[in-house]
Protein backbone atom coordinates (compact mmCIF):
# COMPACT_ATOMS: atom_id res chain seq x y z
CA UNK A 1 0.00 0.00 0.00
CA UNK A 2 1.49 3.33 -1.03
CA UNK A 3 -0.04 6.51 0.23
CA UNK A 4 0.12 10.24 0.83
CA UNK A 5 2.26 12.09 -1.65
CA UNK A 6 5.02 9.74 -2.69
CA UNK A 7 4.41 7.16 -0.22
CA UNK A 8 -0.31 6.58 2.51
CA UNK A 9 -1.35 6.37 5.75
CA UNK A 10 -4.37 8.62 5.42
CA UNK A 11 -7.90 7.31 5.68
CA UNK A 12 -7.88 5.35 2.42
CA UNK A 13 -4.55 3.66 3.11
CA UNK A 14 -5.37 2.73 6.69
CA UNK A 15 -8.82 1.42 5.73
CA UNK A 16 -7.34 -0.72 2.97
CA UNK A 17 -4.50 -1.97 5.17
CA UNK A 18 -6.74 -2.91 8.08
CA UNK A 19 -9.35 -4.53 5.87
CA UNK A 20 -6.68 -6.64 4.16
CA UNK A 21 -5.18 -7.62 7.50
CA UNK A 22 -8.64 -8.66 8.73
CA UNK A 23 -8.66 -11.17 5.86
CA UNK A 24 -5.27 -12.54 6.85
CA UNK A 25 -3.12 -10.70 4.30
CA UNK A 26 0.41 -9.53 5.05
CA UNK A 27 0.44 -5.75 4.60
CA UNK A 28 3.13 -3.09 4.28
CA UNK A 29 1.88 0.52 4.41
CA UNK A 30 4.34 3.10 3.07
CA UNK A 31 4.05 6.78 4.10
CA UNK A 32 6.26 9.62 2.84
CA UNK A 33 5.65 12.01 5.73
CA UNK A 34 7.05 11.66 9.24
CA UNK A 35 3.56 11.21 10.69
CA UNK A 36 0.50 9.35 9.49
CA UNK A 37 -2.94 10.87 8.90
CA UNK A 38 -2.64 12.93 5.72
CA UNK A 39 -5.59 15.09 4.73
CA UNK A 40 -7.97 12.96 6.79
CA UNK A 41 -6.65 14.64 9.94
CA UNK A 42 -7.23 18.07 8.42
CA UNK A 43 -10.74 17.39 7.15
CA UNK A 44 -13.95 18.41 8.89
CA UNK A 45 -14.45 14.70 9.62
CA UNK A 46 -17.95 14.35 8.19
CA UNK A 47 -18.79 11.02 6.56
CA UNK A 48 -21.65 11.02 4.05
CA UNK A 49 -24.00 8.04 4.02
CA UNK A 50 -27.76 7.69 3.75
CA UNK A 51 -28.71 6.37 7.18
CA UNK A 52 -32.42 5.84 7.97
CA UNK A 53 -31.75 5.14 11.65
CA UNK A 54 -30.42 8.65 12.16
CA UNK A 55 -32.14 10.62 9.41
CA UNK A 56 -35.76 9.46 9.63
CA UNK A 57 -36.25 10.69 13.25
CA UNK A 58 -35.01 14.09 12.00
CA UNK A 59 -37.59 14.11 9.19
CA UNK A 60 -34.89 13.76 6.53
CA UNK A 61 -35.70 11.65 3.48
CA UNK A 62 -32.63 10.03 1.98
CA UNK A 63 -31.51 6.88 0.20
CA UNK A 64 -28.51 5.54 -1.74
CA UNK A 65 -30.40 6.40 -4.92
CA UNK A 66 -30.79 10.04 -3.90
CA UNK A 67 -27.15 10.17 -2.78
CA UNK A 68 -26.23 8.77 -6.21
CA UNK A 69 -28.35 11.28 -8.11
CA UNK A 70 -26.94 14.21 -6.17
CA UNK A 71 -23.33 13.05 -6.55
CA UNK A 72 -23.72 12.58 -10.29
CA UNK A 73 -25.47 15.93 -10.74
CA UNK A 74 -22.92 17.73 -8.58
CA UNK A 75 -20.12 16.19 -10.67
CA UNK A 76 -21.83 17.36 -13.88
CA UNK A 77 -21.69 13.87 -15.34
CA UNK A 78 -17.89 13.67 -15.33
CA UNK A 79 -17.97 10.91 -12.70
CA UNK A 80 -18.39 7.22 -13.53
CA UNK A 81 -21.99 6.07 -12.83
CA UNK A 82 -21.00 2.50 -11.91
CA UNK A 83 -18.27 3.67 -9.54
CA UNK A 84 -20.55 6.23 -7.89
CA UNK A 85 -23.31 3.65 -7.46
CA UNK A 86 -20.86 1.29 -5.74
CA UNK A 87 -19.75 4.12 -3.46
CA UNK A 88 -23.21 5.18 -2.28
CA UNK A 89 -24.34 1.58 -1.73
CA UNK A 90 -21.31 0.69 0.40
CA UNK A 91 -20.96 3.94 2.34
CA UNK A 92 -23.36 2.88 5.13
CA UNK A 93 -21.77 -0.59 5.55
CA UNK A 94 -18.41 1.17 5.83
CA UNK A 95 -19.85 3.49 8.48
CA UNK A 96 -21.13 0.50 10.43
CA UNK A 97 -17.70 -1.15 10.11
CA UNK A 98 -16.14 1.96 11.62
CA UNK A 99 -18.65 1.89 14.47
CA UNK A 100 -17.84 -1.77 15.10
CA UNK A 101 -14.19 -0.75 15.51
CA UNK A 102 -15.08 1.88 18.09
CA UNK A 103 -15.59 5.11 16.11
CA UNK A 104 -18.49 7.01 17.65
CA UNK A 105 -20.70 9.44 15.75
CA UNK A 106 -23.17 12.07 16.87
CA UNK A 107 -26.83 10.94 16.86
CA UNK A 108 -27.91 13.42 14.17
CA UNK A 109 -26.60 14.08 10.67
CA UNK A 110 -25.60 17.54 9.43
CA UNK A 111 -24.69 19.34 6.22
CA UNK A 112 -21.33 21.05 5.90
CA UNK A 113 -20.07 23.50 3.27
CA UNK A 114 -21.13 22.24 -0.16
CA UNK A 115 -22.72 19.04 1.16
CA UNK A 116 -26.06 19.69 -0.58
CA UNK A 117 -27.91 17.35 1.82
CA UNK A 118 -27.77 16.64 5.58
CA UNK A 119 -26.26 13.15 5.49
CA UNK A 120 -22.91 13.99 7.13
CA UNK A 121 -22.05 11.85 10.16
CA UNK A 122 -19.93 13.79 12.64
CA UNK A 123 -17.48 11.84 14.83
CA UNK A 124 -17.45 12.67 18.52
CA UNK A 125 -13.70 13.24 18.30
CA UNK A 126 -12.48 16.40 16.52
CA UNK A 127 -12.25 16.37 12.74
CA UNK A 128 -10.62 13.21 11.35
CA UNK A 129 -8.87 12.10 14.52
CA UNK A 130 -11.27 9.26 15.25
CA UNK A 131 -10.59 7.57 11.90
CA UNK A 132 -6.80 7.81 12.11
CA UNK A 133 -6.53 6.83 15.77
CA UNK A 134 -8.91 3.89 15.49
CA UNK A 135 -7.69 2.51 12.17
CA UNK A 136 -3.99 2.88 12.96
CA UNK A 137 -4.40 1.22 16.37
CA UNK A 138 -6.22 -1.70 14.79
CA UNK A 139 -3.59 -1.93 12.03
CA UNK A 140 -0.82 -2.19 14.62
CA UNK A 141 -2.80 -4.74 16.63
CA UNK A 142 -3.19 -6.89 13.53
CA UNK A 143 0.44 -6.72 12.52
CA UNK A 144 0.35 -4.23 9.65
CA UNK A 145 3.83 -2.81 9.07
CA UNK A 146 3.75 0.97 8.71
CA UNK A 147 6.90 2.67 7.43
CA UNK A 148 6.97 6.46 7.65
CA UNK A 149 9.41 8.78 5.84
CA UNK A 150 9.43 6.24 3.05
CA UNK A 151 8.61 7.66 -0.40
CA UNK A 152 7.59 5.57 -3.39
CA UNK A 153 9.65 6.51 -6.43
CA UNK A 154 8.85 3.78 -8.96
CA UNK A 155 6.04 1.36 -9.73
CA UNK A 156 7.58 -1.72 -11.28
CA UNK A 157 5.59 -3.82 -13.74
CA UNK A 158 6.22 -7.40 -14.83
CA UNK A 159 4.32 -9.05 -17.69
CA UNK A 160 1.63 -6.36 -17.46
CA UNK A 161 1.20 -6.80 -13.72
CA UNK A 162 2.01 -4.43 -10.85
CA UNK A 163 4.80 -6.44 -9.30
CA UNK A 164 6.87 -4.19 -7.00
CA UNK A 165 7.46 -0.71 -5.70
CA UNK A 166 10.75 1.11 -5.32
CA UNK A 167 10.95 3.45 -2.34
CA UNK A 168 13.41 5.92 -0.84
CA UNK A 169 14.08 5.73 2.89
CA UNK A 170 14.06 9.42 3.80
CA UNK A 171 14.93 8.73 7.45
CA UNK A 172 18.44 7.43 6.74
CA UNK A 173 21.25 9.66 7.92
CA UNK A 174 23.39 8.33 5.09
CA UNK A 175 21.19 9.81 2.40
CA UNK A 176 18.31 8.40 0.45
CA UNK A 177 18.55 4.61 0.55
CA UNK A 178 16.45 2.83 -2.07
CA UNK A 179 14.60 -0.41 -1.48
CA UNK A 180 12.31 -2.61 -3.55
CA UNK A 181 9.27 -4.35 -2.07
CA UNK A 182 7.61 -7.15 -4.03
CA UNK A 183 3.83 -7.56 -3.98
CA UNK A 184 2.56 -11.11 -3.61
CA UNK A 185 -1.03 -10.08 -4.34
CA UNK A 186 -1.39 -6.41 -5.23
CA UNK A 187 -0.26 -2.82 -4.94
CA UNK A 188 -2.91 -0.37 -3.69
CA UNK A 189 -2.25 3.31 -4.34
CA UNK A 190 -3.73 5.64 -1.70
CA UNK A 191 -1.41 8.62 -2.12
CA UNK A 192 -3.96 11.41 -2.24
CA UNK A 193 -4.17 14.17 -4.80
CA UNK A 194 -1.85 16.99 -5.85
CA UNK A 195 -3.40 20.07 -4.27
CA UNK A 196 -0.14 20.85 -2.42
CA UNK A 197 1.85 20.90 -5.69
CA UNK A 198 1.36 24.48 -6.99
CA UNK A 199 3.26 23.85 -10.23
CA UNK A 200 1.14 20.83 -11.10
CA UNK A 201 -2.07 22.65 -10.14
CA UNK A 202 -1.11 25.60 -12.32
CA UNK A 203 -0.30 23.31 -15.25
CA UNK A 204 -3.94 22.18 -15.29
CA UNK A 205 -5.60 25.36 -13.99
CA UNK A 206 -3.67 28.55 -14.66
CA UNK A 207 -6.52 30.58 -13.14
CA UNK A 208 -5.76 29.09 -9.70
CA UNK A 209 -2.13 30.25 -9.61
CA UNK A 210 -1.28 31.88 -6.30
CA UNK A 211 -4.26 30.54 -4.34
CA UNK A 212 -3.06 28.86 -1.11
CA UNK A 213 -3.87 25.26 -0.25
CA UNK A 214 -5.26 23.71 2.92
CA UNK A 215 -3.70 20.31 2.16
CA UNK A 216 -1.13 18.22 3.94
CA UNK A 217 2.25 19.11 2.37
CA UNK A 218 2.63 15.52 1.19
CA UNK A 219 -0.22 15.83 -1.32
CA UNK A 220 2.02 16.42 -4.31
CA UNK A 221 0.91 13.82 -6.86
CA UNK A 222 4.10 11.87 -7.64
CA UNK A 223 2.48 8.48 -7.16
CA UNK A 224 -0.34 9.40 -9.54
CA UNK A 225 2.18 10.56 -12.15
CA UNK A 226 4.18 7.35 -11.76
CA UNK A 227 1.07 5.25 -12.33
CA UNK A 228 0.29 7.29 -15.44
CA UNK A 229 3.87 6.75 -16.61
CA UNK A 230 3.44 2.96 -16.55
CA UNK A 231 0.18 3.10 -18.49
CA UNK A 232 -2.66 3.94 -16.09
CA UNK A 233 -5.52 6.00 -17.49
CA UNK A 234 -6.42 9.31 -15.88
CA UNK A 235 -9.24 11.82 -16.18
CA UNK A 236 -10.58 15.19 -15.01
CA UNK A 237 -7.16 16.45 -13.91
CA UNK A 238 -8.29 20.03 -14.45
CA UNK A 239 -11.14 19.60 -11.94
CA UNK A 240 -9.76 21.32 -8.85
CA UNK A 241 -11.92 22.53 -5.99
CA UNK A 242 -11.66 25.61 -3.78
CA UNK A 243 -13.29 26.13 -0.37
CA UNK A 244 -12.94 28.73 2.40
CA UNK A 245 -9.69 28.36 4.30
CA UNK A 246 -6.80 30.35 5.70
CA UNK A 247 -4.53 33.09 4.33
CA UNK A 248 -1.15 32.06 2.94
CA UNK A 249 1.24 31.10 5.73
CA UNK A 250 -1.43 30.74 8.44
CA UNK A 251 -1.13 27.47 10.34
CA UNK A 252 -4.81 27.19 11.22
CA UNK A 253 -8.23 27.91 9.73
CA UNK A 254 -11.16 29.92 11.02
CA UNK A 255 -14.16 28.06 9.61
CA UNK A 256 -17.59 29.34 10.64
CA UNK A 257 -19.31 27.37 7.87
CA UNK A 258 -18.97 23.81 9.19
CA UNK A 259 -22.74 23.66 9.78
CA UNK A 260 -24.43 25.50 6.90
CA UNK A 261 -27.69 25.66 8.82
CA UNK A 262 -26.07 28.11 11.25
CA UNK A 263 -24.11 30.47 9.02
CA UNK A 264 -24.77 33.28 6.54
CA UNK A 265 -22.50 34.51 3.74
CA UNK A 266 -22.68 38.21 2.99
CA UNK A 267 -20.93 40.55 0.58
CA UNK A 268 -19.01 43.75 1.22
CA UNK A 269 -22.28 45.60 1.67
CA UNK A 270 -23.55 43.19 4.34
CA UNK A 271 -26.10 41.59 1.98
CA UNK A 272 -26.61 37.85 1.75
CA UNK A 273 -26.23 36.82 -1.89
CA UNK A 274 -26.54 33.01 -2.06
CA UNK A 275 -27.92 29.99 -0.20
CA UNK A 276 -24.98 28.54 1.71
CA UNK A 277 -26.01 24.91 1.15
CA UNK A 278 -25.27 24.99 -2.58
CA UNK A 279 -22.60 23.05 -4.45
CA UNK A 280 -18.97 23.86 -3.75
CA UNK A 281 -18.25 24.86 -7.33
CA UNK A 282 -21.28 27.15 -7.38
CA UNK A 283 -20.31 28.74 -4.07
CA UNK A 284 -16.70 29.23 -5.15
CA UNK A 285 -17.82 30.78 -8.44
CA UNK A 286 -20.06 33.24 -6.59
CA UNK A 287 -17.22 34.19 -4.23
CA UNK A 288 -14.70 34.61 -7.05
CA UNK A 289 -17.14 36.90 -8.87
CA UNK A 290 -16.81 39.44 -6.04
CA UNK A 291 -13.77 41.55 -5.13
CA UNK A 292 -11.20 39.50 -3.24
CA UNK A 293 -11.64 39.87 0.50
CA UNK A 294 -15.15 41.31 0.28
CA UNK A 295 -17.11 38.18 1.32
CA UNK A 296 -17.82 37.31 4.97
CA UNK A 297 -19.25 34.46 7.00
CA UNK A 298 -21.34 35.42 10.03
CA UNK A 299 -22.85 33.30 12.79
CA UNK A 300 -23.68 33.40 16.50
CA UNK A 301 -22.04 32.05 19.64
CA UNK A 302 -24.33 29.02 19.76
CA UNK A 303 -22.83 27.77 16.50
CA UNK A 304 -19.28 28.32 17.77
CA UNK A 305 -20.04 26.46 21.01
CA UNK A 306 -21.34 23.50 18.97
CA UNK A 307 -18.06 23.11 17.03
CA UNK A 308 -15.54 20.40 17.79
CA UNK A 309 -12.75 21.45 20.14
CA UNK A 310 -10.11 22.01 17.46
CA UNK A 311 -12.36 24.12 15.25
CA UNK A 312 -13.50 26.17 18.24
CA UNK A 313 -9.91 26.68 19.36
CA UNK A 314 -8.99 27.93 15.88
CA UNK A 315 -11.88 30.41 15.93
CA UNK A 316 -10.58 31.87 19.19
CA UNK A 317 -7.04 31.94 17.84
CA UNK A 318 -8.45 33.97 14.98
CA UNK A 319 -9.39 36.72 17.42
CA UNK A 320 -5.66 37.27 18.01
CA UNK A 321 -4.74 37.33 14.31
CA UNK A 322 -7.74 39.26 13.04
CA UNK A 323 -9.08 36.25 11.11
CA UNK A 324 -12.16 36.24 13.38
CA UNK A 325 -14.24 39.15 14.63
CA UNK A 326 -16.62 39.11 17.62
CA UNK A 327 -19.09 41.66 18.94
CA UNK A 328 -22.04 41.79 21.33
CA UNK A 329 -24.47 43.16 18.74
CA UNK A 330 -25.00 43.01 14.98
CA UNK A 331 -24.44 46.78 14.78
CA UNK A 332 -21.06 46.46 16.48
CA UNK A 333 -20.08 43.49 14.33
CA UNK A 334 -21.01 45.38 11.15
CA UNK A 335 -18.75 48.23 12.28
CA UNK A 336 -15.81 45.84 12.73
CA UNK A 337 -16.51 44.28 9.32
CA UNK A 338 -16.90 47.62 7.59
CA UNK A 339 -20.32 46.71 6.14
CA UNK A 340 -23.71 48.39 6.25
CA UNK A 341 -25.33 47.55 9.59
CA UNK A 342 -28.92 47.78 8.32
CA UNK A 343 -28.16 45.43 5.41
CA UNK A 344 -26.48 42.92 7.73
CA UNK A 345 -29.33 43.01 10.24
CA UNK A 346 -31.87 42.61 7.46
CA UNK A 347 -29.98 39.57 6.11
CA UNK A 348 -30.02 38.01 9.58
CA UNK A 349 -33.69 38.87 10.10
CA UNK A 350 -34.77 37.22 6.82
CA UNK A 351 -32.71 34.13 7.63
CA UNK A 352 -34.18 33.85 11.12
CA UNK A 353 -37.68 33.95 9.61
CA UNK A 354 -36.68 31.17 7.18
CA UNK A 355 -35.21 29.15 10.06
CA UNK A 356 -38.43 29.49 12.02
CA UNK A 357 -40.74 28.66 9.09
CA UNK A 358 -38.59 26.15 7.18
CA UNK A 359 -38.12 28.34 4.12
CA UNK A 360 -35.19 28.78 1.74
CA UNK A 361 -32.27 26.48 2.52
CA UNK A 362 -33.98 25.66 5.82
CA UNK A 363 -36.41 23.50 3.86
CA UNK A 364 -33.41 21.28 3.00
CA UNK A 365 -31.12 21.44 6.03
CA UNK A 366 -31.73 21.89 9.72
CA UNK A 367 -31.37 25.59 10.58
CA UNK A 368 -31.18 27.38 13.90
CA UNK A 369 -31.83 31.08 14.27
CA UNK A 370 -28.80 33.30 14.83
CA UNK A 371 -29.81 34.90 18.09
CA UNK A 372 -27.21 34.07 20.74
CA UNK A 373 -24.63 36.82 21.27
CA UNK A 374 -21.78 37.45 20.91
CA UNK A 375 -21.87 37.34 17.12
CA UNK A 376 -18.98 36.23 14.93
CA UNK A 377 -17.60 37.01 11.47
CA UNK A 378 -14.68 35.82 9.37
CA UNK A 379 -13.49 36.99 5.97
CA UNK A 380 -13.69 34.29 3.27
CA UNK A 381 -10.29 33.30 1.87
CA UNK A 382 -10.51 30.56 -0.76
CA UNK A 383 -8.03 27.68 -0.57
CA UNK A 384 -7.31 24.90 -3.04
CA UNK A 385 -8.98 22.03 -1.22
CA UNK A 386 -9.05 18.97 -3.42
CA UNK A 387 -8.18 17.64 -6.85
CA UNK A 388 -11.10 15.60 -8.19
CA UNK A 389 -9.22 14.14 -11.15
CA UNK A 390 -6.84 11.22 -11.01
CA UNK A 391 -6.54 7.57 -11.90
CA UNK A 392 -9.50 5.87 -13.56
CA UNK A 393 -10.81 2.95 -11.49
CA UNK A 394 -13.46 0.28 -11.81
CA UNK A 395 -16.23 -0.23 -9.21
CA UNK A 396 -13.86 -2.82 -7.66
CA UNK A 397 -11.18 -0.10 -7.27
CA UNK A 398 -8.95 -1.63 -9.94
CA UNK A 399 -6.85 0.88 -11.86
CA UNK A 400 -7.76 1.01 -15.55
CA UNK A 401 -5.09 1.09 -18.25
CA UNK A 402 -4.98 3.10 -21.45
CA UNK A 403 -6.51 0.12 -23.24
CA UNK A 404 -9.62 0.38 -21.07
CA UNK A 405 -8.88 -2.85 -19.21
CA UNK A 406 -8.01 -3.22 -15.51
CA UNK A 407 -4.28 -3.31 -14.77
CA UNK A 408 -3.55 -6.63 -13.10
CA UNK A 409 -2.56 -6.29 -9.47
CA UNK A 410 -3.01 -2.52 -9.31
CA UNK A 411 -5.70 -0.79 -7.22
CA UNK A 412 -6.35 2.73 -5.98
CA UNK A 413 -8.58 4.51 -3.47
CA UNK A 414 -9.14 8.02 -2.23
CA UNK A 415 -8.13 11.32 -3.75
CA UNK A 416 -5.62 9.75 -6.15
CA UNK A 417 -8.59 8.48 -8.16
CA UNK A 418 -10.69 10.42 -10.66
CA UNK A 419 -13.87 8.40 -11.12
CA UNK A 420 -16.02 9.35 -8.13
CA UNK A 421 -16.51 13.12 -7.92
CA UNK A 422 -16.35 14.47 -11.47
CA UNK A 423 -16.16 18.26 -11.63
CA UNK A 424 -17.25 18.87 -8.04
CA UNK A 425 -16.92 17.01 -4.75
CA UNK A 426 -19.84 17.26 -2.37
CA UNK A 427 -18.93 18.15 1.20
CA UNK A 428 -18.74 14.97 3.27
CA UNK A 429 -18.12 12.70 0.28
CA UNK A 430 -14.32 12.85 0.54
CA UNK A 431 -13.70 10.77 3.67
CA UNK A 432 -16.61 8.48 2.81
CA UNK A 433 -15.13 7.83 -0.65
CA UNK A 434 -11.61 7.23 0.69
CA UNK A 435 -12.59 4.77 3.41
CA UNK A 436 -15.23 2.99 1.36
CA UNK A 437 -12.99 2.36 -1.64
CA UNK A 438 -10.10 1.53 0.68
CA UNK A 439 -12.20 -1.39 1.92
CA UNK A 440 -13.34 -2.30 -1.60
CA UNK A 441 -9.75 -2.26 -2.87
CA UNK A 442 -8.50 -4.66 -0.22
CA UNK A 443 -11.45 -7.00 -0.83
CA UNK A 444 -10.73 -7.23 -4.54
CA UNK A 445 -6.94 -7.29 -4.09
CA UNK A 446 -7.03 -10.15 -1.59
CA UNK A 447 -9.53 -12.24 -3.56
CA UNK A 448 -8.18 -11.67 -7.07
CA UNK A 449 -4.85 -12.71 -8.50
Amino acid sequence: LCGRGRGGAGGAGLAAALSAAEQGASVLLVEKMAAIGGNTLRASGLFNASDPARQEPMGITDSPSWHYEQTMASGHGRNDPAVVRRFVCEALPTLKWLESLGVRFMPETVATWGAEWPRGHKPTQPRGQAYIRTLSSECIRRGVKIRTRCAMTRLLMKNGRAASIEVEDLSSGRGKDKMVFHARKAVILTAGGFAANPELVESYRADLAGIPTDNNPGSTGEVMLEAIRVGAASNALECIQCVPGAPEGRGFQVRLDLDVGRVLMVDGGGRRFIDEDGSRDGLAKAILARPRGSVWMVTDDGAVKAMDLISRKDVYRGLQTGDALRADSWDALALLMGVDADALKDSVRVFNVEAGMGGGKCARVRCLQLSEPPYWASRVVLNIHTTMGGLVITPDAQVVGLDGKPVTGLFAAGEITGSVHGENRMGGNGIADALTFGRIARRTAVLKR
Side-chain angles (χ1 to χ4, degrees):
L1 290 158
C2 306
R4 190 51 50 202
R6 283 195 294 163
L14 289 168
L18 176 58
S19 298
E22 287 176 337
Q23 292 188 324
S26 175
V27 184
L28 170 67
L29 181 57
V30 176
E31 164 64 54
K32 178 177 75 170
M33 306 303 289
I36 65 173
N39 278 343
T40 303
L41 279 180
R42 296 181 172 222
S44 68
L46 294 186
F47 186 110
N48 275 356
S50 61
D51 182 356
R54 286 181 171 89
Q55 292 174 299
E56 287 182 359
M58 299 174 64
I60 298 169
T61 301
D62 202 2
S63 67
S65 294
W66 179 229
H67 192 182
Y68 167 83
E69 289 180 23
Q70 285 193 301
T71 300
M72 291 298 299
S74 190
H76 303 294
R78 293 286 298 278
N79 25 15
D80 185 307
V83 173
V84 174
R85 193 169 297 281
R86 184 73 179 275
F87 160 53
V88 300
C89 288
E90 299 220 16
L92 184 58
T94 300
L95 181 86
K96 292 184 179 298
W97 172 70
L98 291 166
E99 290 181 311
S100 75
L101 296 172
V103 178
R104 295 292 174 258
F105 294 91
M106 300 296 287
E108 296 184 329
T109 60
V110 298
T112 188
W113 177 266
E116 305 183 46
W117 203 253
R119 61 172 64 93
H121 295 72
K122 183 179 180 181
T124 56
Q125 293 185 42
R127 299 192 180 177
Q129 288 186 8
Y131 307 113
I132 301 303
R133 288 178 175 178
T134 301
L135 295 174
S136 62
S137 296
E138 283 295 308
C139 279
I140 292 170
R141 189 177 71 83
R142 288 185 173 270
V144 173
K145 297 177 182 178
I146 302 176
R147 298 194 60 151
T148 58
R149 293 190 55 78
C150 206
M152 175 181 144
T153 54
R154 302 278 284 182
L155 175 60
L156 306 174
M157 307 294 291
K158 184 176 182 180
N159 299 325
R161 179 188 182 89
S164 311
I165 59 169
E166 177 188 86
V167 303
E168 287 180 346
D169 183 356
L170 304 180
S171 65
S172 172
R174 301 184 302 276
K176 295 179 180 179
D177 293 338
K178 291 190 176 182
M179 300 169 286
V180 174
F181 295 104
H182 302 286
R184 287 195 292 267
K185 287 248 180 181
V187 174
I188 304 177
L189 306 178
T190 58
F194 55 91
N197 187 332
E199 292 80 15
L200 196 54
V201 167
E202 188 175 353
S203 72
Y204 295 114
R205 287 285 302 277
D207 60 313
L208 299 181
I211 295 181
T213 183
D214 62 9
N215 274 227
N216 180 288
S219 297
T220 45
E222 291 93 344
V223 171
M224 178 192 74
L225 294 176
E226 175 62 10
I228 293 172
R229 184 192 68 81
V230 301
S234 62
N235 68 350
L237 296 176
E238 78 285 0
C239 296
I240 299 171
Q241 186 177 85
C242 295
V243 303
E248 184 72 51
R250 189 79 77 233
F252 64 94
Q253 296 179 339
V254 174
R255 293 290 301 271
L256 301 180
D257 55 88
L258 297 178
D259 184 344
V260 298
R262 305 183 73 163
V263 68
L264 298 184
M265 189 160 60
V266 300
D267 62 18
R271 294 173 293 273
R272 185 180 179 208
F273 58 92
I274 195 172
D275 278 346
E276 297 79 10
D277 67 330
S279 66
R280 284 180 170 179
D281 57 347
L283 291 165
K285 183 177 180 180
I287 293 167
L288 290 170
R290 284 155 177 79
R292 183 169 293 188
S294 68
V295 176
W296 295 84
M297 296 287 184
V298 296
T299 192
D300 71 350
D301 204 49
V304 173
K305 289 176 180 176
M307 293 178 180
D308 65 78
L309 292 176
I310 293 177
S311 298
R312 196 187 321 159
K313 177 183 177 181
D314 287 347
V315 169
Y316 276 88
R317 291 173 72 185
L319 290 174
Q320 307 300 316
T321 60
D323 295 312
L325 304 176
R326 180 180 60 179
D328 290 331
S329 69
W330 291 113
D331 286 285
L333 187 66
L335 183 63
L336 292 176
M337 295 165 63
V339 305
D340 183 85
D342 289 335
L344 178 62
K345 288 189 292 184
D346 189 60
S347 295
V348 174
R349 180 189 61 80
V350 172
F351 167 75
N352 284 344
V353 170
E354 290 180 352
M357 300 180 62
K361 73 174 180 182
C362 303
R364 300 180 294 272
V365 301
R366 185 189 68 166
C367 295
L368 293 177
Q369 294 182 342
L370 304 184
S371 57
E372 182 178 341
Y375 303 112
W376 294 80
S378 65
R379 196 183 301 273
V380 174
V381 178
L382 286 180
N383 284 185
I384 294 173
H385 182 60
T386 186
T387 50
M388 277 86 63
L391 304 179
V392 177
I393 60 170
T394 71
D396 288 330
Q398 292 182 276
V399 174
V400 175
L402 294 174
D403 60 359
K405 298 178 181 178
V407 179
T408 305
L410 187 61
F411 301 80
E415 199 174 337
I416 195 173
T417 66
S419 300
V420 180
H421 306 293
E423 293 184 10
N424 180 67
R425 192 176 84 186
M426 292 168 57
N429 267 4
I431 286 180
D433 157 38
L435 273 62
T436 298
F437 275 105
R439 295 188 73 218
I440 291 171
R442 64 80 192 166
R443 183 185 310 157
T444 316
V446 171
L447 295 177
K448 290 190 176 183
R449 295 293 297 176

